[in-house]
Amino acid sequence: MVSVWLVVLVGAGIMVPKFTEGLTGSSLNVNGSESARAEELMKAEFDNAITEDVVIVFNSEQRSVKDPDFRAVVERGVDRLRKQPGVAGVENPYTRGNEAQFAGDGRTALVLAGLTGDERKRQEVAPDLQKVLDGVGDREVDAMLTGSSALNAAVVEQEDKDLARAESIGVPIALVVLLLAFGTLVAAGLPLLLGIAALVTSFGALGVLSYLTNFDTFVQAVVTMLGLALGIDYCLFVVTRQREELGARPDRPMTEIVGSTMATAGKAVLFSGSTVLVSVAGLLLVRTPVFHSMAFGVMVAVAVMLTVAMTLLPAVLALCGTRINRLVIPGLRRAVQHPDPEHSIWARWTAVVMRRPVVVGGVAVLALGVAAVPVFSLKLGFDVGASAVADAPAGKGYDLVAEKFAPGTATPVQVVLSSSGGAFDDKELAALDRLARTVEDNKQVDGVLSLTDMLRQQTGGSDSEALRSALAQGGSGLDRMVSPKGEHTVLTVFAKDAPDSDEAIDLVHWIRDTAAPQAAGPDTGLSVSTGGLTAQTIDVAEEIDRATPWVLGAILGLSFLLLLLAFRSLLLAVSAIVMNLLSVGAAFGLLTWVFQEGAGETLFDFASRGFIQAYLPLLTFVVLFGLSMDYEVFIISRMKEEWDRTKDNTKAVTTGVVHTAKVITAAAAIMVVVFAAFMITRVVEVKQMGFALAVAVLVDATLIRVVVVPAVMRLLGPANWWLPGWLDRILPRVQLTEGPSPVPQGEDGDSARAVPVQTAKSTPAPSE
């Protein structure tokens, strides 16, 4: 098995670059949305197939745009850009009629250009175009490509740097936590090494899948966070149980010891991992590629981690044998000398909770409720990521456009108008011109490029005859504004505000709901589709609103069924879901307070935009729900072992907490460290998700698992384990615990008393 895995790791390592090289920035396309229709029309109906307008910023602190050397740089850049694959419709600012492309201070010029292809192609070509521009500029004139694809490409590059830095911080600290928990280098090193192996294999598998689909750059961050945290945690739980089995009956054959480990902790890991898969699969109900990309990425990573835990880990444990306790760290020998968990600090604390469940549990629930209050003011938005790449050419160019022109210039709104009866007739062109004038008069609009304006410049008229004449003659820039047969056109709208601002969002809503219906009424035969970055933001938000109830319903329903199968208890299944909702609610409340309200700006080095990244709450909820279920499965499965043996609820709850508290605390500490390390990134959504995951795990492992869970189970008493007889008969049997040993039969046929594999009074575990 180890040999097979060595081959797998080599193959995975070869495929990792394929995954990282194919990453794209956050895609905001929504299947079937209005913005998606607009992009599809531009791609399918226009000769140059422009699907995105970008801006090249030429700027100088010393020279004026009238300086011959400045003009030479710009025109050289225009000529070279026109020759690049993936570029169409480059507009020279020095052409007559393009004076608006010069800044008021006379030191900055804009070149408008169109990119072709889908999102992945555009983001692949953006860095190459910047390299071309680097060769065009000189020491006194800078040339910077900016726009949606350029910013996304820069964010991908920045995120790669940030993730490497986060890993360099999180992994060493995780090793320190493991050393404190286990006390030996061998036992501590196994979860870390196998976690890294799972992460490499996950990226390799995603590299293979990259031949079939695109992956968002955020997938890399999420998989790295979860890969390290879950990979280490799953191995940690199994290694802990292995050491308990070794301490209880070391004289058994190693295959039997490993078998007992996998029959208990291994089953729990498999089941808890399955709950994560079920939770993440809920994202597939959202009709947005970014959610599908994240769902597939996380599901592949979790599946790989489970495969490692079920195959490679037991093989390594068998090979290590008793050597797992070798290389004791000086000063940590107590972690290997089997202290009695029944008299540990966890036992004393659990006794307090069991004596005063209402007081202790009530205070914890109150604290969680207070933390969750800010979530009711949660506001969603979309940050284009310019602040994260402020030092890159795309970020610098974006800031210059916002400062000297209008923030919306770099990412214009694209309104696609289509005729249902062939080339535009006089009535349709009049409606188009009316829409252009209406939009241009809006105080939030900086400028409009329309077909009718171009026809007037080229032919002196704006009717159907002028259109036929212009199409016959061709002309500079005409091919990017109208389809070859004259039945589709693009109205380009430059907003005065940033594409992710409330003002720009209001503008697109106004165009869709008021301006377009009034100008292109049903009597004209025109259909209108509004696209661009701001329109995509609106469509994503609406799709999230539509899908959220379905996603939550599917996750909660399937999780309830899985927990019902695992625990065979109605109350435990329901309470587990309620506990998870408590921890997730508290995490979201604190996320809102820190990042939306700006309470942590100085501490976490960011500037609040007054909202949370649009797709983050749903993604984070799904991941957090799965992670929270992990600890629930581990602690309840251990309680069930004792309940099956003694039928004593108080003893079962106490034993479950006492024997899992330390390992859950260690696992949670590792997760918190790994997730918190990603808060050092400059990309806002990675920072926000790292915070939410770290806080949720911290809350879950402290207030929930060692306070609220035992308090509630103490109050419910034996009802915890109740299941209606009819339901018990029809539910499939899923045994998470090894349970009692088979009952041997004597010669007289009498049954001997069942002997459990491990009881609460067995030899104390090394990890305790």
Side-chain angles (χ1 to χ4, degrees), residues 363-393:
V363 170
V365 171
L366 180 62
L368 292 170
V370 171
V373 168
V375 79
F376 293 104
S377 62
L378 177 67
K379 180 182 177 183
L380 301 182
F382 183 77
D383 187 343
V384 298
S387 60
V389 293
D391 297 331

Side-chain angles (χ1 to χ4, degrees), residues 59-103:
N59 183 71
S60 176
E61 298 297 330
Q62 294 82 22
R63 297 178 183 173
S64 164
V65 295
K66 298 179 180 180
D67 189 305
D69 291 336
F70 189 108
R71 179 169 182 167
V73 171
V74 173
E75 293 186 335
R76 187 163 60 246
V78 170
D79 290 339
R80 292 190 185 179
L81 285 173
R82 285 173 174 164
K83 299 175 183 177
Q84 299 303 311
V87 179
V90 182
E91 295 288 336
N92 190 335
Y94 291 97
T95 301
R96 184 178 177 181
N98 290 343
E99 292 79 10
Q101 294 172 221
F102 296 116

Side-chain angles (χ1 to χ4, degrees), residues 306-325:
L306 290 178
T307 305
V308 169
M310 295 299 107
T311 58
L312 179 58
L313 179 55
V316 173
L317 290 176
L319 289 176
C320 287
T322 57
R323 291 186 293 273
I324 197 170
N325 290 325

Side-chain angles (χ1 to χ4, degrees), residues 19-201:
F19 169 67
T20 56
E21 291 168 4
L23 292 172
T24 64
S26 296
S27 168
L28 293 180
N29 268 337
V30 177
N31 299 333
S33 67
E34 185 173 337
S35 58
R37 289 197 302 273
E39 182 171 330
E40 289 166 3
L41 284 170
M42 289 188 289
K43 186 176 180 180
E45 302 296 342
F46 291 74
D47 273 349
N48 52 26
I50 291 177
T51 50
E52 180 189 342
D53 288 302
V54 294
V55 170
I56 298 90
V57 183
F58 290 88
N59 183 71
S60 176
E61 298 297 330
Q62 294 82 22
R63 297 178 183 173
S64 164
V65 295
K66 298 179 180 180
D67 189 305
D69 291 336
F70 189 108
R71 179 169 182 167
V73 171
V74 173
E75 293 186 335
R76 187 163 60 246
V78 170
D79 290 339
R80 292 190 185 179
L81 285 173
R82 285 173 174 164
K83 299 175 183 177
Q84 299 303 311
V87 179
V90 182
E91 295 288 336
N92 190 335
Y94 291 97
T95 301
R96 184 178 177 181
N98 290 343
E99 292 79 10
Q101 294 172 221
F102 296 116
D105 64 359
R107 298 190 181 278
T108 305
L110 300 185
V111 170
L112 306 181
L115 299 185
T116 63
D118 57 19
E119 285 181 305
R120 181 169 182 170
K121 293 295 183 183
R122 298 197 302 265
Q123 290 180 40
E124 285 177 351
V125 79
D128 296 332
L129 297 181
Q130 184 57 54
K131 291 179 182 177
V132 170
L133 294 172
D134 290 340
V136 166
D138 58 25
R139 288 180 296 179
E140 294 185 352
V141 180
D142 297 320
M144 297 155 283
L145 175 72
T146 191
S148 181
S149 291
L151 287 169
N152 278 337
V155 168
V156 171
E157 183 179 351
Q158 181 63 45
E159 200 165 283
D160 285 340
K161 298 175 183 176
D162 289 345
L163 292 182
R165 191 153 57 108
E167 290 170 9
S168 67
I169 294 173
V171 171
I173 298 178
L175 178 58
V176 171
V177 174
L178 287 167
L179 288 173
L180 293 174
F182 287 129
T184 74
L185 188 59
V186 175
L190 276 182
L192 187 61
L193 291 176
L194 293 179
I196 293 174
L199 184 61
V200 172
T201 308

Side-chain angles (χ1 to χ4, degrees), residues 520-551:
D523 58 325
T524 65
L526 288 176
S527 61
V528 183
S529 299
T530 304
L533 181 58
T534 305
Q536 288 179 324
T537 302
I538 294 171
D539 292 339
V540 165
E542 291 178 351
E543 174 59 17
I544 290 174
D545 287 341
R546 182 205 67 82
T548 295
W550 296 98
V551 174

Side-chain angles (χ1 to χ4, degrees), residues 261-310:
T261 297
M262 298 307 296
T264 51
K267 281 184 183 177
V269 164
L270 183 60
F271 199 86
S272 62
S274 299
T275 62
V276 177
L277 287 173
V278 167
S279 295
V280 175
L283 292 176
L284 298 176
L285 297 175
V286 188
R287 299 174 303 189
T288 308
V290 65
F291 282 100
H292 294 176
S293 173
M294 292 176 188
F296 284 129
V298 174
M299 290 172 71
V300 167
V302 174
V304 167
M305 292 167 213
L306 290 178
T307 305
V308 169
M310 295 299 107

Side-chain angles (χ1 to χ4, degrees), residues 388-682:
V389 293
D391 297 331
K396 292 178 180 178
Y398 184 86
D399 290 340
L400 280 170
V401 170
E403 177 187 348
K404 297 188 177 184
F405 296 88
T409 303
T411 51
V413 178
Q414 296 161 318
V415 184
V416 182
L417 295 95
S418 302
S419 171
S420 58
F424 294 114
D425 58 25
D426 290 344
K427 181 185 291 186
E428 291 168 337
L429 287 171
L432 166 61
D433 194 53
R434 189 161 57 248
L435 176 60
R437 302 286 76 79
T438 301
V439 172
E440 195 170 34
D441 290 341
N442 189 296
K443 62 181 181 180
Q444 294 174 324
V445 174
D446 189 60
V448 173
L449 296 179
S450 73
L451 172 62
T452 50
D453 286 341
M454 179 163 283
L455 290 177
R456 291 190 187 95
Q457 292 177 11
Q458 293 188 2
T459 67
S462 60
D463 55 11
S464 57
E465 183 178 347
L467 175 60
R468 287 193 296 271
S469 174
L471 290 173
Q473 297 176 6
S476 175
L478 185 66
D479 58 342
R480 66 173 298 176
M481 299 192 74
V482 65
S483 61
K485 296 181 180 180
E487 55 192 356
H488 303 278
T489 186
V490 178
L491 187 72
T492 304
V493 181
F494 299 99
K496 290 182 178 179
D497 301 288
D500 50 8
S501 65
D502 290 341
E503 292 79 9
I505 290 173
D506 291 341
L507 173 63
V508 172
H509 276 303
W510 174 78
I511 292 174
R512 285 179 169 180
D513 301 336
T514 303
Q518 288 179 354
D523 58 325
T524 65
L526 288 176
S527 61
V528 183
S529 299
T530 304
L533 181 58
T534 305
Q536 288 179 324
T537 302
I538 294 171
D539 292 339
V540 165
E542 291 178 351
E543 174 59 17
I544 290 174
D545 287 341
R546 182 205 67 82
T548 295
W550 296 98
V551 174
L552 298 186
I555 292 173
L556 297 180
L558 289 174
S559 297
F560 174 78
L561 291 177
L562 285 173
L563 292 168
L564 194 61
L565 287 173
F567 303 144
R568 307 194 74 79
S569 163
L570 284 174
L571 287 179
L572 286 181
V574 172
S575 64
I577 290 175
V578 173
M579 300 299 174
N580 288 351
L581 292 176
L582 278 175
S583 62
V584 171
F588 276 9
L590 293 174
L591 175 71
T592 304
W593 180 58
V594 170
F595 285 93
Q596 180 176 305
E597 306 301 330
E601 285 184 324
T602 303
L603 180 61
F604 300 121
D605 189 25
F606 72 96
S608 174
R609 295 293 309 277
F611 56 75
I612 302 298
Q613 199 77 342
Y615 53 78
L616 194 68
L618 188 57
L619 171 65
T620 307
F621 173 84
V622 167
V623 172
L624 285 179
F625 199 84
L627 293 181
S628 298
M629 203 64 74
D630 273 355
Y631 297 148
E632 188 77 15
V633 170
F634 284 119
I635 192 171
I636 301 296
S637 62
R638 195 57 180 269
M639 291 177 183
K640 196 170 188 306
E641 282 189 54
E642 189 66 20
W643 169 258
D644 290 340
R645 192 182 72 85
T646 66
K647 301 302 180 183
D648 183 333
N649 179 72
T650 301
K651 185 174 180 59
V653 173
T654 302
T655 300
V657 174
V658 167
H659 281 267
T660 60
K662 183 175 180 179
V663 67
I664 285 179
T665 301
I670 290 170
M671 277 198 177
V672 170
V673 165
V674 171
F675 294 150
F678 287 85
M679 292 170 59
I680 65 171
T681 63
R682 298 179 63 178

